Amino acid sequence: MTVLDSREPRAAVGSPAVAVEPGSGAATREDVLAAARRSRAAAADLAVLPRAAKDAALLAMADALESAADAILQANAKDVAAAEATGTPASLIDRLRLTGPRVTAMAGGLRDLAALPDPVGEVVRGSVLPNGLRLQQIRVPMGVVAIIYEARPNVTADAAGIALKSGNAALLRGSGSAYHSNRALVDVLAAAAERAGLPADAVQLVPGTDRESVKYLMTARGLVDVIIPRGGAGLIQAVVNGSTVPVIETGVGNCHVYVDAAADLDMALELLINSKARRPSVCNAAENVLVHADVAERFVPAAVAALAEAGVTVHADAAFAALVPDATTVVPATETDWDTEYLSLDIAAAVVPDLDAAVAHIAAHGSGHTEAIVTGSLAAADRFVARVDAAAVMVNASTAFTDGGEFGFGAEIGISTQKLHARGPMGLAELTSTKYVVTGAGQVRASS
Amino acid sequence: MTVLDSREPRAAVGSPAVAVEPGSGAATREDVLAAARRSRAAAADLAVLPRAAKDAALLAMADALESAADAILQANAKDVAAAEATGTPASLIDRLRLTGPRVTAMAGGLRDLAALPDPVGEVVRGSVLPNGLRLQQIRVPMGVVAIIYEARPNVTADAAGIALKSGNAALLRGSGSAYHSNRALVDVLAAAAERAGLPADAVQLVPGTDRESVKYLMTARGLVDVIIPRGGAGLIQAVVNGSTVPVIETGVGNCHVYVDAAADLDMALELLINSKARRPSVCNAAENVLVHADVAERFVPAAVAALAEAGVTVHADAAFAALVPDATTVVPATETDWDTEYLSLDIAAAVVPDLDAAVAHIAAHGSGHTEAIVTGSLAAADRFVARVDAAAVMVNASTAFTDGGEFGFGAEIGISTQKLHARGPMGLAELTSTKYVVTGAGQVRASS
């Protein structure tokens, strides 16, 4: 079960941004810091809660969401009406809209979380030192986890639940366009958590929906332990550049499928179509296909036909285009195509002389998310796996499998594309830190 | 064995900074980025090296240091002479000075590293998914590790060795005052690494010794994978605030010893003196003692006498001072004392009404490094361990044990005081990331 699919559809390149809902308002630095301090105080209490208390709260929150469904949908209707009034595209309206089944799904996600093991308290390693000291490294919550997202309002419930299950206070900042929905959801969740005996501030919305309030949040180092931005590349870059709080970068996926000389070409075709067209708007979708020159003559015509059938526009380099039976069925790739995360039914396509050229192309243009090789050669697979620097490397498997649910983590807060702390799908354990506990009987350290 | 003791003596509060050696010069942004690109290229090669190749290089580097000892000492003599000419205090001159035995110790550190297991390639977890995909999470190098340090030139060899053993390219930025020493060391190390078959750029100095060159380094996101600042609080704050590259914060230790109502007071005295006075200039030294009111009357006089004998000045709050037999033997604590990392023979001292007050005091003033409780009560120990938020919590043990060598890690690059990625002493594994490798036979993901 995946309680949170971080690869929710995102805006394709060139889509207009959703306007900030003006009524939701500005906040002062002090407003934001005061909220962060409340989260910090709540985090101290949450850190020592046993699993049973957290699970009871998650179940109460699920029940509360279902009980309050009407009020939540009414709040959401305000957001949808405002978005429609400003001419927001239908695809974005669809992301914004909550329905009865979507509220039920949110509640189900919280119940799924209650059923997962608690990562807190796990002894990661332990030993007895030569001087008799007992050393244990124990998993502890991060503390205050801030999540900045542009996505659907159901992220609010999912993110709050994942943070809480891992013992953290959640400080949430959704889109201004979803303000009323998020406000209603957080009010319901926080009240239910409090009734279940948790701190009322275990789940909070960051005050304000203006850009300044995000800046205040990003510089609340010492109050906020980690910020996870989820959304388009622009949001993520802004957070990375402006934050003094540690950031986990998520989600930008410029993924490649490399069809090796030793590939089973029928398998390659199936993997390519699944990687590209299954859900083109998510970050684990393939945006590029690289074909080894030795099989290009056989593979390219079939690939172009299958991609066309799936509605995909191929942006081909000259060598690739030269092998297409009808050159009008592809468009010429420009330099920017190689670095573009289309999030749409488009793919960049190139012929490469060999595996190392594919690896070099990926090193130059990949985003470190997911890279796939299709090959029957063990040597080729090993070389690709060892040399491609990405969160996930697929051998004869669809890029679409990079997913916390598919990986069996039960829950996922996002897919990290950085190397520090967490890389790839992040589950509950990735929202924790550790603490060394050293127990002795009066040992002192010798002078040295 | 500890090949790198990150808790080298640091400048005490108020010590003059060592002047930058002017001859070492400025560098342009392009100089720094070009060096980072060379490190990146080297990192790609280092990542796939087997352990034997890395160990052979470490041994060759050790031999080369010993062979080139005269040239290294001559270069160091220039730095020492320049520092003396500018009136640098003797304690800082001592940190800067290399000697024959210190060069031998550096070589020994590299040989110790060769004997340690290779963290790269470790399968951190693995499973077979329901659809038959084989999932493995494999330890891989970070890539390019930059280390900014103010400390002794022997950090140059130690940091280069640790980075290399964990498969990373090292990009080193030492103090301007140690420029000639560091230049000579890196030249010797890089040449030896290259002769052993490693990329010549596996170990590099960051060009320039001016402040601007550090800024260029800190914003080389995408080229540099992590920056580890090692030094005083000012350096660390500057890097945290200015860096877009992920940072691991190290080393500031405002550590407390809490003497509980149920403490063995003889043990408490011994632990207090060892924690404070063993090496006052290192980050795991205690800077505060908190005494439970129930035992203060008995403990305070003995503690003050023992601290005085060890040469320690006590900065006492009113309640503590009131229990001192001769009030002239302590000085009154001011508000700033509680937040000061003295790094000297000083300690702040307070009486607290109970354990929770001690925990609250530590939450307000601690730096998240090491906190100790002395108690015979299991309940008190458990409560302190659960509620104190720090990298290491000691129960009846000296704060001085927070150390990679003492913890049995074999090598240590620093002590992280942040929660992201690594917390506490960082060994070889903490300089690595992971990669998911998913191996299939053509599996595609179902539509959902």
Side-chain angles (χ1 to χ4, degrees), chain B residues 253-259 272 275 284-290 338-339 347-348 358 361-368 370-373 384 394 399:
Chain B
N254 190 26
C255 308
H256 298 72
V257 173
Y258 164 63
V259 180
L272 173 61
S275 297
N284 59 23
E287 307 287 17
N288 304 268
V289 57
L290 305 174
W338 312 115
D339 297 305
I347 195 163
H361 183 104
I362 290 167
H365 302 290
S367 61
T370 300
E371 308 297 352
I373 181 173
F384 190 85
M394 301 285 166
T399 60

PDB file of all heavy atoms in Angstrom, chain B residues 253-259 272 275 284-290 338-339 347-348 358 361-368 370-373 384 394 399:
ATOM      1  N   GLY B 253      30.377  22.179  20.826  1.00  0.00           N
ATOM      2  CA  GLY B 253      29.906  21.364  21.941  1.00  0.00           C
ATOM      3  C   GLY B 253      29.742  22.189  23.210  1.00  0.00           C
ATOM      4  O   GLY B 253      30.708  22.494  23.889  1.00  0.00           O
ATOM      5  N   ASN B 254      28.499  22.554  23.518  1.00  0.00           N
ATOM      6  CA  ASN B 254      28.215  23.160  24.811  1.00  0.00           C
ATOM      7  C   ASN B 254      27.608  22.048  25.664  1.00  0.00           C
ATOM      8  O   ASN B 254      26.384  21.919  25.772  1.00  0.00           O
ATOM      9  CB  ASN B 254      27.260  24.351  24.651  1.00  0.00           C
ATOM     10  CG  ASN B 254      27.127  25.157  25.934  1.00  0.00           C
ATOM     11  OD1 ASN B 254      28.044  25.153  26.755  1.00  0.00           O
ATOM     12  ND2 ASN B 254      26.002  25.812  26.113  1.00  0.00           N
ATOM     13  N   CYS B 255      28.481  21.231  26.221  1.00  0.00           N
ATOM     14  CA  CYS B 255      28.078  19.979  26.867  1.00  0.00           C
ATOM     15  C   CYS B 255      27.843  20.175  28.369  1.00  0.00           C
ATOM     16  O   CYS B 255      28.516  20.983  29.010  1.00  0.00           O
ATOM     17  CB  CYS B 255      29.156  18.920  26.657  1.00  0.00           C
ATOM     18  SG  CYS B 255      29.640  18.701  24.935  1.00  0.00           S
ATOM     19  N   HIS B 256      26.889  19.401  28.900  1.00  0.00           N
ATOM     20  CA  HIS B 256      26.510  19.494  30.304  1.00  0.00           C
ATOM     21  C   HIS B 256      26.750  18.174  31.029  1.00  0.00           C
ATOM     22  O   HIS B 256      26.551  17.104  30.453  1.00  0.00           O
ATOM     23  CB  HIS B 256      25.007  19.818  30.436  1.00  0.00           C
ATOM     24  CG  HIS B 256      24.610  21.129  29.828  1.00  0.00           C
ATOM     25  ND1 HIS B 256      24.565  21.326  28.463  1.00  0.00           N
ATOM     26  CD2 HIS B 256      24.246  22.311  30.381  1.00  0.00           C
ATOM     27  CE1 HIS B 256      24.191  22.585  28.209  1.00  0.00           C
ATOM     28  NE2 HIS B 256      23.988  23.203  29.353  1.00  0.00           N
ATOM     29  N   VAL B 257      27.118  18.289  32.307  1.00  0.00           N
ATOM     30  CA  VAL B 257      27.087  17.129  33.203  1.00  0.00           C
ATOM     31  C   VAL B 257      26.008  17.427  34.246  1.00  0.00           C
ATOM     32  O   VAL B 257      26.083  18.440  34.960  1.00  0.00           O
ATOM     33  CB  VAL B 257      28.440  16.902  33.899  1.00  0.00           C
ATOM     34  CG1 VAL B 257      28.324  15.792  34.945  1.00  0.00           C
ATOM     35  CG2 VAL B 257      29.521  16.569  32.878  1.00  0.00           C
ATOM     36  N   TYR B 258      24.977  16.567  34.279  1.00  0.00           N
ATOM     37  CA  TYR B 258      23.909  16.729  35.255  1.00  0.00           C
ATOM     38  C   TYR B 258      24.097  15.715  36.385  1.00  0.00           C
ATOM     39  O   TYR B 258      24.140  14.500  36.140  1.00  0.00           O
ATOM     40  CB  TYR B 258      22.534  16.545  34.587  1.00  0.00           C
ATOM     41  CG  TYR B 258      21.416  16.322  35.582  1.00  0.00           C
ATOM     42  CD1 TYR B 258      21.083  17.315  36.514  1.00  0.00           C
ATOM     43  CD2 TYR B 258      20.697  15.126  35.610  1.00  0.00           C
ATOM     44  CE1 TYR B 258      20.070  17.104  37.450  1.00  0.00           C
ATOM     45  CE2 TYR B 258      19.683  14.915  36.532  1.00  0.00           C
ATOM     46  CZ  TYR B 258      19.383  15.904  37.460  1.00  0.00           C
ATOM     47  OH  TYR B 258      18.392  15.703  38.383  1.00  0.00           O
ATOM     48  N   VAL B 259      24.224  16.237  37.602  1.00  0.00           N
ATOM     49  CA  VAL B 259      24.396  15.381  38.779  1.00  0.00           C
ATOM     50  C   VAL B 259      23.024  15.225  39.434  1.00  0.00           C
ATOM     51  O   VAL B 259      22.479  16.176  40.004  1.00  0.00           O
ATOM     52  CB  VAL B 259      25.414  15.994  39.753  1.00  0.00           C
ATOM     53  CG1 VAL B 259      25.591  15.093  40.976  1.00  0.00           C
ATOM     54  CG2 VAL B 259      26.750  16.223  39.049  1.00  0.00           C
ATOM     55  N   LEU B 272      32.882  14.572  36.441  1.00  0.00           N
ATOM     56  CA  LEU B 272      32.887  16.013  36.192  1.00  0.00           C
ATOM     57  C   LEU B 272      34.302  16.497  35.858  1.00  0.00           C
ATOM     58  O   LEU B 272      34.506  17.216  34.870  1.00  0.00           O
ATOM     59  CB  LEU B 272      32.346  16.754  37.418  1.00  0.00           C
ATOM     60  CG  LEU B 272      32.450  18.290  37.366  1.00  0.00           C
ATOM     61  CD1 LEU B 272      31.664  18.854  36.182  1.00  0.00           C
ATOM     62  CD2 LEU B 272      31.942  18.889  38.681  1.00  0.00           C
ATOM     63  N   SER B 275      35.390  15.111  32.478  1.00  0.00           N
ATOM     64  CA  SER B 275      34.646  15.735  31.379  1.00  0.00           C
ATOM     65  C   SER B 275      35.122  17.155  31.136  1.00  0.00           C
ATOM     66  O   SER B 275      35.166  17.627  29.995  1.00  0.00           O
ATOM     67  CB  SER B 275      33.143  15.746  31.697  1.00  0.00           C
ATOM     68  OG  SER B 275      32.632  14.432  31.820  1.00  0.00           O
ATOM     69  N   ASN B 284      34.134  17.876  23.002  1.00  0.00           N
ATOM     70  CA  ASN B 284      33.369  17.014  23.908  1.00  0.00           C
ATOM     71  C   ASN B 284      33.643  17.312  25.387  1.00  0.00           C
ATOM     72  O   ASN B 284      33.166  16.592  26.260  1.00  0.00           O
ATOM     73  CB  ASN B 284      33.598  15.529  23.583  1.00  0.00           C
ATOM     74  CG  ASN B 284      35.056  15.117  23.682  1.00  0.00           C
ATOM     75  OD1 ASN B 284      35.839  15.774  24.369  1.00  0.00           O
ATOM     76  ND2 ASN B 284      35.425  14.044  23.003  1.00  0.00           N
ATOM     77  N   ALA B 285      34.395  18.363  25.645  1.00  0.00           N
ATOM     78  CA  ALA B 285      34.623  18.776  27.034  1.00  0.00           C
ATOM     79  C   ALA B 285      33.345  19.385  27.614  1.00  0.00           C
ATOM     80  O   ALA B 285      32.598  20.068  26.909  1.00  0.00           O
ATOM     81  CB  ALA B 285      35.755  19.783  27.107  1.00  0.00           C
ATOM     82  N   ALA B 286      33.086  19.144  28.898  1.00  0.00           N
ATOM     83  CA  ALA B 286      31.911  19.735  29.551  1.00  0.00           C
ATOM     84  C   ALA B 286      32.140  21.227  29.766  1.00  0.00           C
ATOM     85  O   ALA B 286      33.248  21.656  30.110  1.00  0.00           O
ATOM     86  CB  ALA B 286      31.655  19.051  30.892  1.00  0.00           C
ATOM     87  N   GLU B 287      31.091  22.007  29.557  1.00  0.00           N
ATOM     88  CA  GLU B 287      31.160  23.451  29.778  1.00  0.00           C
ATOM     89  C   GLU B 287      30.206  23.882  30.878  1.00  0.00           C
ATOM     90  O   GLU B 287      30.182  25.052  31.258  1.00  0.00           O
ATOM     91  CB  GLU B 287      30.821  24.203  28.482  1.00  0.00           C
ATOM     92  CG  GLU B 287      31.641  23.788  27.255  1.00  0.00           C
ATOM     93  CD  GLU B 287      33.090  24.264  27.288  1.00  0.00           C
ATOM     94  OE1 GLU B 287      33.578  24.639  28.376  1.00  0.00           O
ATOM     95  OE2 GLU B 287      33.750  24.246  26.235  1.00  0.00           O
ATOM     96  N   ASN B 288      29.403  22.930  31.358  1.00  0.00           N
ATOM     97  CA  ASN B 288      28.389  23.240  32.370  1.00  0.00           C
ATOM     98  C   ASN B 288      28.227  22.067  33.319  1.00  0.00           C
ATOM     99  O   ASN B 288      28.289  20.918  32.892  1.00  0.00           O
ATOM    100  CB  ASN B 288      27.005  23.454  31.718  1.00  0.00           C
ATOM    101  CG  ASN B 288      27.006  24.515  30.647  1.00  0.00           C
ATOM    102  OD1 ASN B 288      26.736  25.676  30.923  1.00  0.00           O
ATOM    103  ND2 ASN B 288      27.324  24.136  29.401  1.00  0.00           N
ATOM    104  N   VAL B 289      27.956  22.399  34.589  1.00  0.00           N
ATOM    105  CA  VAL B 289      27.537  21.365  35.526  1.00  0.00           C
ATOM    106  C   VAL B 289      26.212  21.812  36.146  1.00  0.00           C
ATOM    107  O   VAL B 289      26.059  22.966  36.551  1.00  0.00           O
ATOM    108  CB  VAL B 289      28.621  21.076  36.592  1.00  0.00           C
ATOM    109  CG1 VAL B 289      29.002  22.326  37.375  1.00  0.00           C
ATOM    110  CG2 VAL B 289      28.149  19.964  37.547  1.00  0.00           C
ATOM    111  N   LEU B 290      25.256  20.894  36.140  1.00  0.00           N
ATOM    112  CA  LEU B 290      23.936  21.161  36.728  1.00  0.00           C
ATOM    113  C   LEU B 290      23.769  20.179  37.889  1.00  0.00           C
ATOM    114  O   LEU B 290      23.937  18.970  37.707  1.00  0.00           O
ATOM    115  CB  LEU B 290      22.828  20.931  35.694  1.00  0.00           C
ATOM    116  CG  LEU B 290      22.963  21.719  34.380  1.00  0.00           C
ATOM    117  CD1 LEU B 290      21.879  21.285  33.387  1.00  0.00           C
ATOM    118  CD2 LEU B 290      22.868  23.220  34.645  1.00  0.00           C
ATOM    119  N   TRP B 338      25.768  30.609  29.991  1.00  0.00           N
ATOM    120  CA  TRP B 338      25.049  29.352  29.702  1.00  0.00           C
ATOM    121  C   TRP B 338      25.169  28.946  28.242  1.00  0.00           C
ATOM    122  O   TRP B 338      24.985  27.778  27.910  1.00  0.00           O
ATOM    123  CB  TRP B 338      23.578  29.468  30.112  1.00  0.00           C
ATOM    124  CG  TRP B 338      23.422  30.031  31.492  1.00  0.00           C
ATOM    125  CD1 TRP B 338      22.844  31.224  31.824  1.00  0.00           C
ATOM    126  CD2 TRP B 338      23.899  29.464  32.722  1.00  0.00           C
ATOM    127  NE1 TRP B 338      22.927  31.430  33.178  1.00  0.00           N
ATOM    128  CE2 TRP B 338      23.565  30.365  33.758  1.00  0.00           C
ATOM    129  CE3 TRP B 338      24.571  28.281  33.038  1.00  0.00           C
ATOM    130  CZ2 TRP B 338      23.887  30.126  35.093  1.00  0.00           C
ATOM    131  CZ3 TRP B 338      24.895  28.029  34.366  1.00  0.00           C
ATOM    132  CH2 TRP B 338      24.554  28.954  35.375  1.00  0.00           C
ATOM    133  N   ASP B 339      25.423  29.905  27.380  1.00  0.00           N
ATOM    134  CA  ASP B 339      25.503  29.594  25.950  1.00  0.00           C
ATOM    135  C   ASP B 339      26.932  29.596  25.429  1.00  0.00           C
ATOM    136  O   ASP B 339      27.146  29.512  24.224  1.00  0.00           O
ATOM    137  CB  ASP B 339      24.663  30.606  25.159  1.00  0.00           C
ATOM    138  CG  ASP B 339      23.204  30.521  25.523  1.00  0.00           C
ATOM    139  OD1 ASP B 339      22.652  29.410  25.425  1.00  0.00           O
ATOM    140  OD2 ASP B 339      22.621  31.542  25.944  1.00  0.00           O
ATOM    141  N   ILE B 347      33.943  26.718  33.715  1.00  0.00           N
ATOM    142  CA  ILE B 347      32.705  25.935  33.678  1.00  0.00           C
ATOM    143  C   ILE B 347      31.586  26.766  34.286  1.00  0.00           C
ATOM    144  O   ILE B 347      31.794  27.503  35.254  1.00  0.00           O
ATOM    145  CB  ILE B 347      32.875  24.584  34.414  1.00  0.00           C
ATOM    146  CG1 ILE B 347      31.716  23.622  34.067  1.00  0.00           C
ATOM    147  CG2 ILE B 347      32.958  24.775  35.944  1.00  0.00           C
ATOM    148  CD1 ILE B 347      32.014  22.171  34.400  1.00  0.00           C
ATOM    149  N   ALA B 348      30.420  26.684  33.665  1.00  0.00           N
ATOM    150  CA  ALA B 348      29.236  27.320  34.230  1.00  0.00           C
ATOM    151  C   ALA B 348      28.545  26.312  35.141  1.00  0.00           C
ATOM    152  O   ALA B 348      28.515  25.115  34.833  1.00  0.00           O
ATOM    153  CB  ALA B 348      28.290  27.769  33.115  1.00  0.00           C
ATOM    154  N   ALA B 358      16.704  20.253  34.603  1.00  0.00           N
ATOM    155  CA  ALA B 358      17.988  20.041  33.923  1.00  0.00           C
ATOM    156  C   ALA B 358      17.756  19.816  32.431  1.00  0.00           C
ATOM    157  O   ALA B 358      18.452  20.385  31.580  1.00  0.00           O
ATOM    158  CB  ALA B 358      18.724  18.846  34.537  1.00  0.00           C
ATOM    159  N   HIS B 361      16.895  23.087  30.865  1.00  0.00           N
ATOM    160  CA  HIS B 361      18.095  23.935  30.745  1.00  0.00           C
ATOM    161  C   HIS B 361      18.931  23.495  29.543  1.00  0.00           C
ATOM    162  O   HIS B 361      19.391  24.322  28.746  1.00  0.00           O
ATOM    163  CB  HIS B 361      18.917  23.857  32.037  1.00  0.00           C
ATOM    164  CG  HIS B 361      20.122  24.739  32.035  1.00  0.00           C
ATOM    165  ND1 HIS B 361      20.183  25.926  32.737  1.00  0.00           N
ATOM    166  CD2 HIS B 361      21.318  24.644  31.394  1.00  0.00           C
ATOM    167  CE1 HIS B 361      21.362  26.515  32.514  1.00  0.00           C
ATOM    168  NE2 HIS B 361      22.069  25.737  31.715  1.00  0.00           N
ATOM    169  N   ILE B 362      19.091  22.195  29.400  1.00  0.00           N
ATOM    170  CA  ILE B 362      19.886  21.672  28.277  1.00  0.00           C
ATOM    171  C   ILE B 362      19.193  21.975  26.952  1.00  0.00           C
ATOM    172  O   ILE B 362      19.839  22.339  25.970  1.00  0.00           O
ATOM    173  CB  ILE B 362      20.125  20.156  28.475  1.00  0.00           C
ATOM    174  CG1 ILE B 362      21.091  19.946  29.651  1.00  0.00           C
ATOM    175  CG2 ILE B 362      20.651  19.512  27.207  1.00  0.00           C
ATOM    176  CD1 ILE B 362      21.174  18.505  30.143  1.00  0.00           C
ATOM    177  N   ALA B 363      17.867  21.842  26.919  1.00  0.00           N
ATOM    178  CA  ALA B 363      17.135  22.160  25.683  1.00  0.00           C
ATOM    179  C   ALA B 363      17.318  23.622  25.305  1.00  0.00           C
ATOM    180  O   ALA B 363      17.411  23.973  24.131  1.00  0.00           O
ATOM    181  CB  ALA B 363      15.649  21.830  25.846  1.00  0.00           C
ATOM    182  N   ALA B 364      17.387  24.478  26.326  1.00  0.00           N
ATOM    183  CA  ALA B 364      17.507  25.918  26.046  1.00  0.00           C
ATOM    184  C   ALA B 364      18.923  26.312  25.641  1.00  0.00           C
ATOM    185  O   ALA B 364      19.107  27.236  24.850  1.00  0.00           O
ATOM    186  CB  ALA B 364      17.076  26.719  27.286  1.00  0.00           C
ATOM    187  N   HIS B 365      19.926  25.643  26.170  1.00  0.00           N
ATOM    188  CA  HIS B 365      21.303  26.118  26.003  1.00  0.00           C
ATOM    189  C   HIS B 365      22.257  25.132  25.333  1.00  0.00           C
ATOM    190  O   HIS B 365      23.328  25.534  24.879  1.00  0.00           O
ATOM    191  CB  HIS B 365      21.883  26.507  27.366  1.00  0.00           C
ATOM    192  CG  HIS B 365      21.091  27.553  28.082  1.00  0.00           C
ATOM    193  ND1 HIS B 365      21.038  28.867  27.656  1.00  0.00           N
ATOM    194  CD2 HIS B 365      20.273  27.486  29.171  1.00  0.00           C
ATOM    195  CE1 HIS B 365      20.244  29.564  28.461  1.00  0.00           C
ATOM    196  NE2 HIS B 365      19.766  28.747  29.387  1.00  0.00           N
ATOM    197  N   GLY B 366      21.928  23.864  25.293  1.00  0.00           N
ATOM    198  CA  GLY B 366      22.843  22.869  24.726  1.00  0.00           C
ATOM    199  C   GLY B 366      23.007  23.034  23.223  1.00  0.00           C
ATOM    200  O   GLY B 366      22.176  23.655  22.556  1.00  0.00           O
ATOM    201  N   SER B 367      24.084  22.472  22.707  1.00  0.00           N
ATOM    202  CA  SER B 367      24.329  22.543  21.263  1.00  0.00           C
ATOM    203  C   SER B 367      24.052  21.210  20.582  1.00  0.00           C
ATOM    204  O   SER B 367      24.375  21.027  19.417  1.00  0.00           O
ATOM    205  CB  SER B 367      25.772  22.966  21.005  1.00  0.00           C
ATOM    206  OG  SER B 367      26.660  22.001  21.561  1.00  0.00           O
ATOM    207  N   GLY B 368      23.460  20.270  21.318  1.00  0.00           N
ATOM    208  CA  GLY B 368      23.103  18.989  20.709  1.00  0.00           C
ATOM    209  C   GLY B 368      24.298  18.082  20.484  1.00  0.00           C
ATOM    210  O   GLY B 368      24.260  17.206  19.626  1.00  0.00           O
ATOM    211  N   THR B 370      26.944  16.508  23.296  1.00  0.00           N
ATOM    212  CA  THR B 370      26.991  15.429  24.280  1.00  0.00           C
ATOM    213  C   THR B 370      26.448  15.933  25.609  1.00  0.00           C
ATOM    214  O   THR B 370      26.833  17.011  26.066  1.00  0.00           O
ATOM    215  CB  THR B 370      28.445  14.941  24.479  1.00  0.00           C
ATOM    216  OG1 THR B 370      28.941  14.474  23.226  1.00  0.00           O
ATOM    217  CG2 THR B 370      28.516  13.817  25.505  1.00  0.00           C
ATOM    218  N   GLU B 371      25.556  15.161  26.210  1.00  0.00           N
ATOM    219  CA  GLU B 371      24.978  15.517  27.507  1.00  0.00           C
ATOM    220  C   GLU B 371      25.072  14.298  28.406  1.00  0.00           C
ATOM    221  O   GLU B 371      24.799  13.187  27.973  1.00  0.00           O
ATOM    222  CB  GLU B 371      23.512  15.944  27.343  1.00  0.00           C
ATOM    223  CG  GLU B 371      23.271  17.039  26.293  1.00  0.00           C
ATOM    224  CD  GLU B 371      23.944  18.372  26.616  1.00  0.00           C
ATOM    225  OE1 GLU B 371      24.474  18.512  27.735  1.00  0.00           O
ATOM    226  OE2 GLU B 371      23.966  19.267  25.747  1.00  0.00           O
ATOM    227  N   ALA B 372      25.473  14.534  29.659  1.00  0.00           N
ATOM    228  CA  ALA B 372      25.696  13.408  30.575  1.00  0.00           C
ATOM    229  C   ALA B 372      24.831  13.528  31.821  1.00  0.00           C
ATOM    230  O   ALA B 372      24.599  14.629  32.329  1.00  0.00           O
ATOM    231  CB  ALA B 372      27.169  13.350  30.978  1.00  0.00           C
ATOM    232  N   ILE B 373      24.374  12.371  32.297  1.00  0.00           N
ATOM    233  CA  ILE B 373      23.700  12.310  33.596  1.00  0.00           C
ATOM    234  C   ILE B 373      24.502  11.360  34.486  1.00  0.00           C
ATOM    235  O   ILE B 373      25.018  10.341  34.009  1.00  0.00           O
ATOM    236  CB  ILE B 373      22.236  11.819  33.470  1.00  0.00           C
ATOM    237  CG1 ILE B 373      21.550  11.801  34.854  1.00  0.00           C
ATOM    238  CG2 ILE B 373      22.142  10.458  32.802  1.00  0.00           C
ATOM    239  CD1 ILE B 373      20.049  11.481  34.800  1.00  0.00           C
ATOM    240  N   PHE B 384      16.075  10.916  31.310  1.00  0.00           N
ATOM    241  CA  PHE B 384      17.074  11.823  30.752  1.00  0.00           C
ATOM    242  C   PHE B 384      17.417  11.409  29.313  1.00  0.00           C
ATOM    243  O   PHE B 384      17.425  12.229  28.395  1.00  0.00           O
ATOM    244  CB  PHE B 384      18.315  11.799  31.647  1.00  0.00           C
ATOM    245  CG  PHE B 384      19.345  12.842  31.336  1.00  0.00           C
ATOM    246  CD1 PHE B 384      19.251  14.130  31.865  1.00  0.00           C
ATOM    247  CD2 PHE B 384      20.449  12.550  30.533  1.00  0.00           C
ATOM    248  CE1 PHE B 384      20.217  15.100  31.594  1.00  0.00           C
ATOM    249  CE2 PHE B 384      21.415  13.505  30.256  1.00  0.00           C
ATOM    250  CZ  PHE B 384      21.300  14.781  30.787  1.00  0.00           C
ATOM    251  N   MET B 394      25.237  10.431  27.650  1.00  0.00           N
ATOM    252  CA  MET B 394      26.062   9.577  28.494  1.00  0.00           C
ATOM    253  C   MET B 394      25.346   9.314  29.811  1.00  0.00           C
ATOM    254  O   MET B 394      24.862  10.268  30.443  1.00  0.00           O
ATOM    255  CB  MET B 394      27.382  10.288  28.829  1.00  0.00           C
ATOM    256  CG  MET B 394      28.211  10.683  27.634  1.00  0.00           C
ATOM    257  SD  MET B 394      29.015   9.223  26.948  1.00  0.00           S
ATOM    258  CE  MET B 394      29.542   9.876  25.358  1.00  0.00           C
ATOM    259  N   THR B 399      31.839  12.786  29.291  1.00  0.00           N
ATOM    260  CA  THR B 399      31.502  13.343  27.970  1.00  0.00           C
ATOM    261  C   THR B 399      32.643  13.138  26.981  1.00  0.00           C
ATOM    262  O   THR B 399      32.422  13.179  25.769  1.00  0.00           O
ATOM    263  CB  THR B 399      31.194  14.852  28.066  1.00  0.00           C
ATOM    264  OG1 THR B 399      32.351  15.541  28.580  1.00  0.00           O
ATOM    265  CG2 THR B 399      29.993  15.133  28.955  1.00  0.00           C
TER     266      THR B 399
END
